Amino acid sequence: VFFPEINDSEGHPSSSHQTLKGTSKWATSLENLLEDPEGVKRFREFLKKEFSEENVLFWLACEEFKKTQGKKQMQEKAKEIYMTFLSSKASSQVNVEGQSRLSETILETPHPLMFQKLQDQIFNLMKYDSYSRFLKSDIFLNHKKCEEQEENSPEAQTAAKRASRIYNT
């Protein structure tokens, strides 16, 4: 069976199962950025400089909370999230609508999606505010430049050539 080689705009063979990685993937969506531990690390670094790291920390805590099993663990984690991010005395308070109406009574009957509305608010705040600035930041651009240099290094090219020899037999 013969498969014609498909080339991209620069004449390089392209593969349909080629996946975006690193900064290319981060730049496609905030969701992709938040799925990559390295992306989260860089985004946190950026938010720290903007004094809004609590937003991504809250979002991550909520994601972790959804996976929590058992009522006792849920109560403990819910209380931790409330005290860290939502209470008026919180050390890393996030700014969400309806916060003043939140009280510790919600912690008595925890459920996996109890913070979902607040998490969505914070996600949208990050998506429409800090994420676009992150993509223009030195942190992102320097990381992207390093990636590109690695990709264009002689070692990376010989590895790619070896791989293409293997697959084009």
Side-chain angles (χ1 to χ4, degrees):
V1 180
F2 174 74
F3 295 104
E5 195 173 273
I6 299 166
N7 293 321
D8 65 15
S9 59
E10 289 159 12
H12 302 295
S14 72
S15 156
S16 57
H17 51 78
Q18 214 169 28
T19 53
L20 291 173
K21 54 183 191 280
T23 53
S24 309
K25 194 172 180 184
W26 304 349
T28 56
S29 73
L30 179 56
E31 289 86 344
N32 283 342
L33 172 70
L34 294 172
E35 281 171 11
D36 181 345
E38 182 65 24
V40 168
K41 186 177 151 193
R42 301 294 173 181
F43 193 46
R44 279 183 64 181
E45 215 175 293
F46 170 74
L47 291 177
K48 206 178 274 184
K49 287 184 171 180
E50 288 212 331
F51 303 102
S52 60
E53 186 189 18
E54 68 279 355
N55 290 337
V56 74
L57 293 177
F58 173 70
W59 188 89
L60 292 165
C62 291
E63 282 299 286
E64 200 52 45
F65 177 75
K66 289 177 198 172
K67 300 173 197 160
T68 306
Q69 303 289 312
K71 189 173 179 186
K72 185 153 178 49
Q73 285 93 321
M74 283 183 93
Q75 280 177 320
E76 285 169 11
K77 270 213 165 134
K79 187 176 169 100
E80 197 180 303
I81 288 172
Y82 179 81
M83 298 313 275
T84 308
F85 302 105
L86 301 169
S87 128
S88 56
K89 301 184 249 350
S91 54
S92 300
Q93 193 178 35
V94 291
N95 187 8
V96 284
E97 229 174 275
Q99 201 157 15
S100 57
R101 294 190 299 275
L102 279 178
S103 71
E104 289 187 48
T105 55
I106 64 162
L107 305 177
E108 290 160 19
T109 53
H111 58 89
L113 300 177
M114 65 189 279
F115 297 117
Q116 190 64 54
K117 274 194 175 124
L118 304 176
Q119 186 185 10
D120 291 344
Q121 277 185 46
I122 290 299
F123 180 83
N124 286 329
L125 179 72
M126 292 190 301
K127 183 174 184 168
Y128 298 110
D129 186 39
S130 23
Y131 173 64
S132 51
R133 284 197 306 279
F134 170 69
L135 295 178
K136 297 175 191 133
S137 73
D138 288 345
I139 291 173
F140 176 80
L141 296 172
N142 290 339
H143 193 75
K144 185 178 178 180
K145 197 189 294 175
C146 288
E147 267 182 5
E148 287 164 358
Q149 285 169 348
E150 280 171 23
E151 282 172 19
N152 296 328
S153 74
E155 298 86 39
Q157 287 175 355
T158 51
K161 281 180 185 147
R162 272 198 307 274
S164 71
R165 274 201 301 274
I166 294 165
Y167 295 115
N168 290 338
T169 52

